[in-house]
Amino acid sequence: GCAHPAAMVVGYIILAGTALIEWLLRRDDTPSLSASKAGVVQMSLIFLAGVFAMLGVLLDNLAMLQANVPLEVIGLVILVWRLRSYLAPSQWRGPVPGIMARTAVLGLILGIALFAYVVSLFVSGAEFEEIGPWLLAVDHINFIMVMTNLIFAMMATASVVAESANRFIYWGINTGVLGFAVGLATENATLKRIFTPILGLSLLYGIYTYLTAKEARPVVTEEVGV
């Protein structure tokens, strides 16, 4: 039963997340051939990691499950190295859509670190009751801190929305998901009660804001002949 979430989160969400991060941060650039080759290696490693995770859970094969972790880590290291100029501290003061994409990178790092911990629990023979809360935390980090940030970043880029609204949505969903994930992992009911409405209301406000916003029209420059 765990093979399905393993395939969804590790085999798809992380892979799709890295692709969207690449598009959002580098959409105005023309990548070099060497960068493209490194990107192929990166995505291949992350894809193989997802396959190993799915088969490891499905076949109850610890070796395959453990092989997932170094592949994910190496792929993520390549991603961070390739995008290092976009992740520099100075870049975090720009428009919110870019900050959302950079925060998704942090979400990937946190999500993979948590999944590595889940694998260590699984390999050590821990009961599902001990692993379950950590799996839920991994899911929320990947689905919200990674994918929701990226989806909202794309919507914000394509919409005419005030920067203050973007920042409210950004801080709401990320503060909410981090607090909620900690509550899930530690099974702390108080944290879950505090951060659930923050997360939920921020998500609803973001969905409403972007769906009702006017579409941003690309600037078209006309060439004047001499």
Side-chain angles (χ1 to χ4, degrees), residues 41 46 55 68 96 123 127 155 169 175 196 206 212-213 223:
V41 173
I46 295 173
L55 292 177
N68 161 270
V96 171
V123 171
E127 298 294 331
M155 296 177 76
I169 294 165
T175 301
T196 295
T212 58
E223 295 185 1

Side-chain angles (χ1 to χ4, degrees), residues 97-211:
I99 296 175
M100 288 176 171
R102 293 175 180 90
T103 301
V105 177
L106 298 182
L108 282 178
I109 295 171
L110 180 56
I112 291 173
L114 289 174
F115 189 76
Y117 179 67
V118 168
V119 170
S120 71
L121 291 176
F122 190 88
V123 171
S124 66
E127 298 294 331
F128 182 76
E129 288 74 16
E130 183 181 354
I131 299 174
W134 289 97
L135 276 175
L136 288 174
V138 171
D139 288 348
H140 281 79
I141 290 296
N142 281 294
F143 279 101
I144 298 177
M145 193 171 180
V146 177
M147 290 305 295
T148 301
N149 265 313
L150 293 171
I151 292 170
F152 278 5
M154 290 188 293
M155 296 177 76
T157 301
S159 307
V160 180
V161 177
E163 189 72 359
S164 58
N166 282 331
R167 291 191 181 278
F168 180 86
I169 294 165
Y170 169 77
W171 285 108
I173 63 171
N174 288 290
T175 301
V177 72
L178 285 173
F180 186 65
V182 172
L184 286 171
T186 60
E187 299 185 82
N188 187 310
T190 301
L191 286 178
K192 288 187 281 189
R193 290 192 190 101
I194 292 172
F195 288 100
T196 295
I198 295 174
L199 175 59
L201 291 173
S202 299
L203 289 171
L204 290 173
Y205 178 68
I207 293 169
Y208 172 80
T209 300
Y210 295 131
L211 289 181

Side-chain angles (χ1 to χ4, degrees), residues 17 46 61-62 71 77 81 85 95 102 111-112 139 145 148 221:
I46 295 173
N61 187 307
L62 297 182
L71 293 177
V77 167
W81 174 257
S85 61
R102 293 175 180 90
I112 291 173
D139 288 348
M145 193 171 180
T148 301
T221 57

